[in-house]
Every structure is written in structure tokens, then in C-alpha cells.
Amino acid sequence: NPQLLVLDEVMAGVDCEGAIAFCKLLKHLQEINQWTILEVSHDLKMLEHTVDWLIGINRVMIMAGRPRELLTPEHLTKLYRYY
């Protein structure tokens, strides 16, 4: 049984209903299998509701922490202005 599931832009092209259903399935599988899920995504709104921990990378790591603490205008400006 895997302990780590890696997903890269898994919600790209998925409609809203499909994304909600998939997120519920992932959460269920994570709970029953005790998985760690590493997800690469640009959909910050979705991540706000689906992840426990967030790392913001733009060439280097800019921020790390809980989504509700990091998904603020101040942190996002810092993340997207880094060159």
C-alpha cells in the first residue's frame, strides 16, 4: 500500500461537480489509508478548502503554512512578485 500519493494539476479541465466529487473521494481515501497527498496546483481557491498545509514556490520557497494563514493578499503579492 502506498503512503504517498503525488498529484500534478489533477483538477485541470475538471468541472465543478467533478472536482467536488474527486476531492471527497481523495479525502475519504486519505483517511482510511493514512495517505500523505502531495498535490501540485495553481488553483489556490480549491486548495484553500482541500489541503492541510500549503507551500508556495516561485523559483524558491516563498511561504509555507496553513492555507487560511497564507492565502491573503499580502502573502500572494509576495509569492507572485518574486523574480
Side-chain angles (χ1 to χ4, degrees):
N1 289 334
Q3 294 182 350
L4 174 65
L5 178 63
V6 179
L7 304 171
D8 185 9
E9 298 290 351
V10 70
M11 298 297 178
V14 177
D15 66 9
C16 188
E17 286 183 19
I20 291 169
F22 189 73
C23 286
K24 287 180 180 179
L25 174 63
L26 273 181
K27 191 67 162 171
H28 174 72
L29 292 172
Q30 180 186 32
E31 289 172 359
I32 64 171
N33 294 303
Q34 299 297 303
W35 287 349
T36 296
I37 299 175
L38 172 63
E39 184 174 346
V40 176
S41 179
H42 290 88
D43 187 348
L44 299 179
K45 198 65 173 163
M46 182 211 44
L47 292 177
E48 180 179 9
H49 303 287
T50 60
V51 302
D52 299 321
W53 193 258
L54 181 70
I55 298 173
I57 299 173
N58 186 350
R59 296 191 182 114
V60 298
M61 187 174 77
I62 305 295
M63 60 186 190
R66 303 231 177 259
R68 292 188 181 190
E69 297 167 0
L70 298 180
L71 295 177
T72 64
E74 178 185 354
H75 284 98
L76 294 175
T77 297
K78 183 177 180 184
L79 176 66
Y80 286 107
R81 284 196 176 169
Y82 185 84
Y83 295 101

